[in-house]
Amino acid sequence: MATPGSGFWSFGSEEGSGEAENPGTAKAWCQAAQKFTGGIGTKLCALLYGDGEKPTEAGAKEDLDSAEKTPACTCTNKPCSCQKADINYAFLHSTDLLPACNGEITTLSFLQDVMDILLQYVVKSFDRSTKVIDFHYPNELLQEHNWELADRPQTLEEILLNCRTTLKYAIRTGHPRYFNQLSTGLDMVGLAADWLTSTANTNIGKMIPSDLERRIIEAKQKGFVPFLVSATAGTTVYGAFDPLLAIADICKKYKIWMHVDAAWGGGLLMSRKHKWKLNGVERANSVTWNPHKMMGVPLQCSALLVREEGLMQSCNQMHASYLFQQDKHYDLSYDTGDKALQCGRHVDVFKLWLMWRAKGTTGFEAQIDKCLELAEYLYNKIKNREGYEMVFDGKPQHTNVCFWYVPPSLRSMEDNEERMNRLLKVAPVIKARMMEYGTTMVSYQPLGDKVNFFRMVISNPAATHQDIDFLIEEIERLGQDL
């Protein structure tokens, strides 16, 4: 956790330690992989360590030779005349893939076809001439395609068709004109890390410290025992940051656990320009943080940080002997499963780690600063623009920009219930038209006594000033006649 006045968090050892990798360890892992996975282990070792490091067990050469007889297809034209095309998926099922006996060639061919589908989707996602969504009504999709689950398995040919169909109608969440805080674009290194891993709140109403203390005193006078205050760093709707320093003082005074929900705003700690908004987070007892939001790590990647060392083990550990044997031949501190409530789960931190290695802290900083700059750009463009009204006064603290678009027919109306009832319907209609045209997407919602407004959240590093300008013009185009 960050400390007062610190720069960036420090993770791991300093660079340049000069320690070389142990080739014996690499061979040992390769031999283990070969023992338990057969020929595929040899192929993985060849990719990871080169031909000189792969083990030479009986049968390995035969497996490689058989793979070489059916080389991977590199054609761009489909169908092609490569030997890979000789595999007829219409008569094959998932049971014909590894770990099926002699399933290596079929598996490699099938996975390459899947990869071709994914790569075409990735490339198109960054093409602004493509639609954000090829919108079809649910009943149309139900009539045109069979989505039902059946007792009998589908063929691999049908599975590939399912992949293409799903991506065809899916929202292109990596598109530069798709704006959403959970889907933050397609980071190529993060996407690669995700593939590797799969294989191997409230409102701008910030918490008022004086009101918090008053409520604590009232609760104690009634005989209750307040034990936790949950502050927010980056609220879901408005992107507001609670005054953490003042809240920390109150929690210390009354000996109350201070938790900070920094799921959305925690990424700002990467920015030297904006991290002041989280001043006081270092005094919290616990913090939640979702790198899959502002930092663009593919879902799912969440963290719970606690101040007290060993607390997670003391709360959650069950000492399951069938999982955490005490006589293992390696350092038992690596058995971290007893720290968490769940047991089996993805190593989601790998995605964050690999992206951090590729970007560096300064890379994340630049990414976050850019998104906040784009939010300020949008705010400055529309705050005094005809047809736009801001939901709250003042510059947004995060990348959440909340506003109403007021069509020409409502601009001269008196601010009364009739106007609110008509304004209530504007954002949903414009959003529906966005989806039907497939040109852009942005969220809307009501909150309290405020009728439906647009909640623009900028977290996609692919977005530019051009895309913000396009959004403004598109909203006006789609809403002029309302």
Side-chain angles (χ1 to χ4, degrees):
M1 195 177 297
T3 54
S6 65
F8 295 126
W9 292 347
S10 177
F11 284 79
S13 58
E14 298 295 326
E15 294 181 359
S17 62
E19 294 182 5
E21 291 185 5
N22 184 349
T25 303
K27 287 185 178 180
W29 279 109
C30 280
Q31 289 168 358
Q34 172 65 18
K35 177 179 179 181
F36 292 107
T37 62
I40 192 66
T42 303
K43 296 180 181 66
L44 288 172
C45 287
L47 289 171
L48 290 169
Y49 300 110
D51 292 340
E53 292 292 346
K54 66 178 182 290
T56 55
E57 287 193 10
K61 181 64 167 68
E62 181 181 346
D63 289 335
L64 286 174
D65 288 344
S66 64
E68 291 169 359
K69 291 176 183 176
T70 309
C73 173
T74 57
C75 294
T76 55
N77 298 323
K78 302 291 182 181
C80 66
S81 58
C82 292
Q83 287 178 294
K84 182 179 76 66
D86 293 338
I87 296 178
N88 191 340
Y89 294 125
F91 299 95
L92 296 173
H93 296 81
S94 62
T95 50
D96 297 303
L97 302 174
L98 287 173
C101 183
N102 299 321
E104 287 89 345
I105 300 301
T106 303
T107 301
L108 291 173
S109 179
F110 175 75
L111 290 179
Q112 184 173 12
D113 280 347
V114 173
M115 187 61 67
D116 288 343
I117 294 171
L118 291 172
L119 291 177
Q120 290 174 23
Y121 175 81
V122 168
V123 172
K124 288 182 179 178
S125 291
F126 290 92
D127 184 358
R128 286 180 173 82
S129 67
T130 63
K131 291 184 174 182
V132 177
I133 177 176
D134 184 7
F135 180 78
H136 286 66
Y137 286 98
N139 62 313
E140 294 175 344
L141 294 176
L142 288 172
Q143 293 171 3
E144 294 174 8
H145 303 280
N146 178 21
W147 307 97
E148 295 294 327
L149 296 174
D151 292 334
R152 298 183 61 83
Q154 288 189 318
T155 65
L156 293 181
E157 184 179 71
E158 292 171 312
I159 295 299
L160 289 173
L161 178 61
N162 292 161
C163 292
R164 294 189 183 94
T165 303
T166 300
L167 292 178
K168 172 178 170 58
Y169 297 112
I171 298 172
R172 297 186 188 277
T173 56
H175 197 290
R177 291 172 180 169
Y178 177 73
F179 304 100
N180 184 277
Q181 73 184 59
L182 287 180
S183 301
T184 56
L186 279 174
D187 183 279
M188 295 301 101
V189 175
L191 183 62
D194 187 47
W195 287 346
L196 261 65
T197 331
S198 298
T199 306
N201 286 270
T202 59
N203 53 35
I204 196 64
K206 304 178 185 179
M207 189 181 296
I208 303 172
S210 59
D211 186 58
L212 169 65
E213 185 167 21
R214 178 182 64 81
R215 291 172 181 267
I216 291 173
I217 294 172
E218 287 178 356
K220 292 173 71 70
Q221 289 174 344
K222 293 177 181 179
F224 298 116
V225 181
F227 70 95
L228 178 140
V229 171
S230 183
T232 306
T235 57
T236 302
V237 179
Y238 290 161
F241 289 76
D242 284 337
L244 302 181
L245 283 170
I247 294 171
D249 289 339
I250 294 172
C251 289
K252 180 180 179 180
K253 178 178 179 180
Y254 294 98
K255 296 181 173 58
I256 296 176
W257 184 282
M258 177 182 174
H259 175 74
V260 176
D261 178 357
W264 174 222
L268 268 59
L269 285 173
M270 293 284 185
S271 169
R272 284 169 286 195
K273 181 178 180 180
H274 296 283
K275 68 176 184 176
W276 62 269
K277 297 170 186 177
L278 288 103
N279 284 349
V281 71
E282 72 280 353
R283 296 175 59 187
N285 299 99
S286 59
V287 179
T288 51
W289 171 43
N290 288 354
H292 66 238
K293 293 185 177 177
M294 192 64 201
M295 295 170 64
V297 179
L299 281 166
Q300 179 80 24
C301 188
S302 302
L304 171 62
L305 310 176
V306 295
R307 170 185 294 280
E308 184 180 333
E309 184 176 357
L311 181 64
M312 299 304 294
Q313 286 95 334
S314 63
C315 289
N316 297 317
Q317 65 186 2
M318 296 295 292
H319 296 295
S321 60
Y322 59 92
L323 293 175
F324 311 114
Q325 299 89 344
Q326 299 302 300
D327 55 355
K328 290 177 180 176
H329 65 286
Y330 56 81
D331 186 350
L332 295 179
S333 65
Y334 289 106
D335 281 347
T336 58
D338 254 359
K339 286 173 133 181
L341 287 171
Q342 73 271 45
C343 185
R345 61 189 184 278
H346 282 165
V347 189
D348 290 308
V349 72
F350 178 75
K351 294 174 287 189
L352 174 61
W353 176 83
L354 197 62
M355 288 176 65
W356 208 323
R357 293 271 289 188
K359 293 174 178 286
T361 307
T362 54
F364 273 126
E365 177 184 37
Q367 177 178 319
I368 290 168
D369 285 350
K370 177 188 175 184
C371 290
L372 283 150
E373 187 275 325
L374 284 175
E376 185 173 357
Y377 175 80
L378 171 61
Y379 168 73
N380 289 331
K381 288 270 293 189
I382 65 175
K383 65 179 180 179
N384 296 317
R385 187 183 181 98
E386 185 180 12
Y388 290 86
E389 294 180 10
M390 306 309 299
V391 175
F392 58 88
D393 296 329
K395 187 168 67 175
Q397 287 190 288
H398 207 350
T399 68
N400 308 47
V401 184
C402 302
F403 60 91
W404 288 285
Y405 172 71
V406 183
S409 65
L410 302 184
R411 292 175 193 172
S412 59
M413 285 187 64
E414 184 181 349
D415 189 7
N416 54 26
E417 185 176 354
E418 180 185 355
R419 184 179 187 271
M420 286 296 101
N421 289 336
R422 291 180 61 179
L423 186 59
L424 168 74
K425 303 173 183 178
V426 171
V429 173
I430 293 177
K431 175 65 176 289
R433 292 177 178 180
M434 285 178 178
M435 295 178 67
E436 290 172 355
Y437 281 100
T439 52
T440 187
M441 283 184 70
V442 61
S443 299
Y444 74 86
Q445 67 184 83
L447 186 66
D449 60 349
K450 295 175 172 55
V451 299
N452 286 322
F453 56 86
F454 285 111
R455 178 173 65 97
M456 175 68 172
V457 178
I458 302 173
S459 55
N460 187 339
T464 63
H465 290 146
Q466 174 191 356
D467 298 310
I468 301 300
D469 293 340
F470 177 88
L471 171 72
I472 296 171
E473 293 168 4
E474 189 69 353
I475 288 175
E476 294 173 353
R477 181 182 76 88
L478 298 174
Q480 281 291 318
D481 63 336
L482 296 178

